[in-house]
Amino acid sequence: MALSATVRAELAGIVGPANVHDADGDLVAYARDATPLFTHRPDAVVFPADTAEVAAVLALATRQGVPVVPRGAGSNLCAATVPLRGGIVLVLTRLNEILEISADELLARVQPGVSSAVLADAVAAHGLLWAPDPGSRTVATVGGTIATCAGGLRGLKYGVTRNYVLGLEAVLPTGEVIRTGGRLWKDVAGYDLTRLLTGSEGTLAVLTEATVALLPAPASANTGVAYFPSLAEAGEAVARVIRAGVVPATLEFLDRACIDAVEDFAHLGLRTDAGALLLFGDDGPADLVATHLDRIGAACVAAGAVEVTTAREVAQAEALLAARRCALPALSRRGGVTILEDATVPRPRIAEMVDRIDAIAARHDVAIATFGHAGDGNLHPTCVLDSADDTDAVRRAEAAFADVFAAALDLGGTITGEHGVGAAKLPFLAARLGDDQLALLRRIKTAFDPAGILNPGKLGS
């Protein structure tokens, strides 16, 4: 929709003319996020400075029926911040202050535009740990991490973002400011709106502050790598590790295609003759970490590993972690468009799921490499295409991923473990939730957003 001159003038009056962008170059830049194949230009990009400005913008948008899409860094991978119906993209990166770090209470208060890495570094200086660890941590904002309930490499041991959100300041679409939760680990007064807003993808309210839980930083950490003939043996190793009573901080896998891509990209000395790689690590007291890594290594050998190596120094451990973190950029070098998806299955069915993915890729004549979080069953099948202009290849890739999501559901899993639904997964949500749950989501959406202005075309629409 086109914004009227009156609305544009009111926006400028709220946030200042310099913070309302509507030039073609600005609109194109905010027409998409990190998700390929989804794009739609907004009518304006607005940069508020505080909660009061957010509230005024939302109240104006509700009165005028203007769509508003809240956005942080735009690093999400489900098209959650693509403005499908135009309107205003509300960029929250100016709200970028860490307001408080309390070592006594093990918490921090933070504005939504602070990046996850900046928060992690700040609390580390106090001997504390911000546990959520999304792959895009250097750019992903805390607000976006909460809005998508992001996961990451530490999910098995530490859980996901929702486990660390104690309270929120949120602006409703009608302009009211609410505070949910607070500073307490134990608080059961009323419905748990904090948990409801976490993962709501900007469809219910705009987050302007979060109170997040921290942990004491572990005393030490180390990492190792095991190579296997195939993912079947790697999957058996994961089961043996859990049965051995070890819940590692890191338990990641790469298939053969990912190993080749990463080694070609980063030259880390990975074995390219292996069918699968299992990256494992733990943190805590040094003696316990050493014991756990020994147990993990033994479990890998018992499952058929052809080689197991433990890092001897910090630099080597960081290099091993880099092998997992650079999987996406390594694969992206192989084509013009990279479609990275996520689906989750029960841990014992990882190898079966990867076999199904390989069969699906062959059936649709597309190349799919798979890596992911072996510890929690979260897989990232990734398809690389030469160009988005190759409509036949895009069609085949989309059909392949539809089959991938169906396979995950068939194995008792879900269509998304950590990326979120956004626009990309919305066509598959009914298969996961069923019609009755979808209807309930819509009623909740209407209760929060009666005018339907917040992130329309996504969850609850």
Side-chain angles (χ1 to χ4, degrees), residues 266-284:
H267 308 293
L268 298 172
L270 304 180
R271 284 187 58 158
T272 55
D273 62 341
L277 172 158
L278 198 63
L279 179 72
F280 57 87
D282 202 10
D283 54 22

Side-chain angles (χ1 to χ4, degrees), residues 226-250:
Y227 297 94
F228 297 88
S230 73
L231 269 168
E233 290 87 355
E236 172 61 22
V238 171
R240 287 176 177 267
V241 168
I242 302 301
R243 287 199 297 267
V246 179
V247 180
T250 303

Side-chain angles (χ1 to χ4, degrees), residues 177-440:
V177 179
I178 64 171
R179 281 190 172 269
T180 71
R183 304 172 72 92
L184 307 175
W185 283 82
K186 297 175 73 174
D187 182 355
V188 295
Y191 293 136
D192 192 348
L193 297 181
T194 304
R195 184 65 70 94
L196 177 60
L197 291 173
T198 301
S200 62
E201 300 180 13
T203 61
L204 302 180
V206 176
L207 309 182
T208 52
E209 184 184 314
T211 302
V212 297
L214 307 172
L215 298 172
S220 68
N222 201 4
T223 304
V225 62
Y227 297 94
F228 297 88
S230 73
L231 269 168
E233 290 87 355
E236 172 61 22
V238 171
R240 287 176 177 267
V241 168
I242 302 301
R243 287 199 297 267
V246 179
V247 180
T250 303
L251 197 56
E252 302 287 305
F253 78 92
L254 306 179
D255 70 2
R256 183 190 298 274
C258 287
I259 295 171
D260 289 345
V262 168
E263 183 58 25
D264 183 55
F265 171 63
H267 308 293
L268 298 172
L270 304 180
R271 284 187 58 158
T272 55
D273 62 341
L277 172 158
L278 198 63
L279 179 72
F280 57 87
D282 202 10
D283 54 22
D287 56 345
L288 184 61
V289 170
T291 297
H292 281 180
L293 263 60
D294 285 345
R295 287 185 185 176
I296 295 170
C300 290
V301 170
V306 295
E307 180 183 343
V308 179
T309 302
T310 301
R312 292 182 294 275
E313 56 189 25
V314 173
Q316 187 180 8
E318 289 297 325
L320 289 176
L321 287 171
R324 168 59 181 83
R325 292 195 185 278
C326 74
L328 176 57
L331 289 167
S332 297
R333 295 171 67 241
R334 300 197 163 190
V337 177
T338 304
I339 306 173
L340 170 64
E341 279 295 358
D342 86 311
T344 304
V345 296
R347 266 194 308 268
R349 311 200 78 169
I350 291 174
E352 183 180 355
M353 182 63 189
V354 174
D355 285 345
R356 290 207 188 189
I357 291 170
D358 290 345
I360 289 166
R363 185 165 66 248
H364 291 280
D365 190 25
V366 294
I368 296 180
T370 305
F371 61 95
H373 315 293
D376 53 29
N378 188 201
L379 300 92
H380 294 308
T382 304
C383 181
V384 180
L385 306 177
D386 289 335
S387 169
D389 295 330
D390 187 343
T391 55
D392 181 61
V394 169
R395 178 192 57 77
R396 287 186 281 110
E398 290 175 340
F401 280 118
D403 287 354
V404 167
F405 303 141
L409 293 175
D410 186 53
L411 294 177
T414 186
I415 60 172
T416 177
E418 60 183 9
H419 288 177
V421 176
K425 296 287 183 66
L426 195 62
F428 312 102
L429 191 58
R432 174 65 181 93
L433 299 183
D435 292 340
D436 290 341
Q437 267 199 84
L438 278 184
L440 178 58

Side-chain angles (χ1 to χ4, degrees), residues 54-76:
V54 170
V57 169
L58 291 182
L60 169 63
T62 291
R63 288 196 307 271
Q64 299 293 333
V66 177
V68 177
V69 177
R71 177 182 170 121
S75 59
N76 75 88

